[in-house]
Amino acid sequence: MDLSNLKPAEGSVKNQGKRVGRGQGSGKGGTATRGHKGAKSRSGYSKKLGFEGGQMPLQRRVPKFGFTNINRVEYQGVNLDTLQQLVDEKKIKDTVDFETLVSLGKAGKNDLVKILGRGELKSKLKVTAHKFTATAKAAIEAAGGEAVTL
């Protein structure tokens, strides 16, 4: 290192933004790069979410449809291939209940669990859940296990 190749430490020199509105001599005085008049030149301006410059926004151009059923019950789906994978990884032995699924991160503690029929189940399991699809129940019983509804 000598005087010909000195440079400041990494991250110590920041490229400050241009200083606007600091007098005519700076070249960025007057309108401070905002142009003349209009909402964007004023202080406190912020564009509304979805604002399209006065054109009818997409949100309002598209018609409303449908409704939200307030009595809808949401289930967290767990597939058979997921259960089989857990057995292969030796994370579950012979019984699967809600607490097991929560501890393995397959469902949240406030979820309702529904066992779904994707994939195949080779091992004999006693599965306890809130709901089962017909195919899942059949597959569990075909493998010699049992499906217990909570």
Side-chain angles (χ1 to χ4, degrees), residues 12-90:
S12 67
V13 178
K14 294 188 178 66
N15 187 12
Q16 273 8 63
K18 58 182 168 188
R19 282 166 52 87
V20 297
R22 290 290 178 271
Q24 291 299 332
S26 69
K28 303 270 189 293
T31 61
T33 74
R34 284 166 173 253
H36 296 280
K37 295 189 192 167
K40 276 174 148 173
S41 71
R42 319 287 186 196
S43 69
Y45 165 77
S46 66
K47 190 173 80 212
K48 285 192 176 68
L49 203 64
F51 184 67
E52 298 183 17
Q55 171 176 305
M56 185 60 68
L58 183 69
Q59 168 74 359
R60 292 185 58 197
R61 288 200 299 267
V62 177
K64 298 196 236 177
F65 74 100
F67 78 109
T68 304
N69 181 1
I70 59 167
N71 298 317
R72 180 173 167 78
V73 180
E74 287 270 5
Y75 290 94
Q76 175 63 46
V78 177
N79 276 293
L80 292 178
D81 55 7
T82 312
L83 293 179
Q84 185 58 50
Q85 188 184 345
L86 291 172
V87 171
D88 297 341
E89 291 168 0
K90 306 234 183 328

Side-chain angles (χ1 to χ4, degrees), residues 96-103 107-111 113 128 130 150:
V96 184
D97 57 356
F98 180 64
E99 283 73 31
T100 319
L101 291 170
V102 171
S103 63
K109 62 180 171 53
N110 300 322
D111 287 340
V113 174
T128 311
H130 297 98
L150 281 175

